[in-house]
Amino acid sequence: MKATRETNGNKSLPNLPLHKFVGVAVRFSLAAFCTSLYGGSLLVWFVGLWLVWNFLAGVVRFLWGCLVFLLAFVSLVAFMVWVLTL
């Protein structure tokens, strides 16, 4: 998603959400820490941490989707059993 720019009076402010900035700052800090501890390139560590983060976020989203589906299915079956026992 592109960060668009908004004009607020005479100032031009970037429209970048704070949580994305914090995420980049945390990954950059971890990359700097790993570079100082294990060596290597700062850019390689940054990209590697970004890839790991995307993979873990995908796994968590998948598990969350499975949990929501199971809860919805169980609640639907429980409702149908309750209606049939009336």
Side-chain angles (χ1 to χ4, degrees):
M1 176 176 17
K2 253 186 192 176
T4 58
R5 297 185 78 79
E6 295 178 354
T7 55
N8 184 5
N10 292 334
K11 295 183 264 183
S12 182
L13 303 171
N15 188 12
L16 187 64
L18 183 61
H19 69 278
K20 290 190 180 210
F21 175 74
V22 170
V24 170
V26 166
R27 281 194 298 274
F28 186 76
S29 300
L30 283 173
F33 176 73
C34 291
T35 300
S36 66
L37 195 60
Y38 300 113
S41 171
L42 182 69
L43 181 63
V44 170
W45 277 105
F46 184 77
V47 171
L49 289 171
W50 176 73
L51 289 173
V52 168
W53 172 254
N54 280 341
F55 175 74
L56 290 178
V59 168
V60 168
R61 284 185 189 134
F62 173 74
L63 292 175
W64 180 252
C66 290
L67 180 67
V68 167
F69 171 76
L70 287 175
L71 288 175
F73 181 73
V74 166
S75 63
L76 181 66
V77 169
F79 178 73
M80 290 173 72
V81 168
W82 176 70
V83 167
L84 290 174
T85 57
L86 285 179

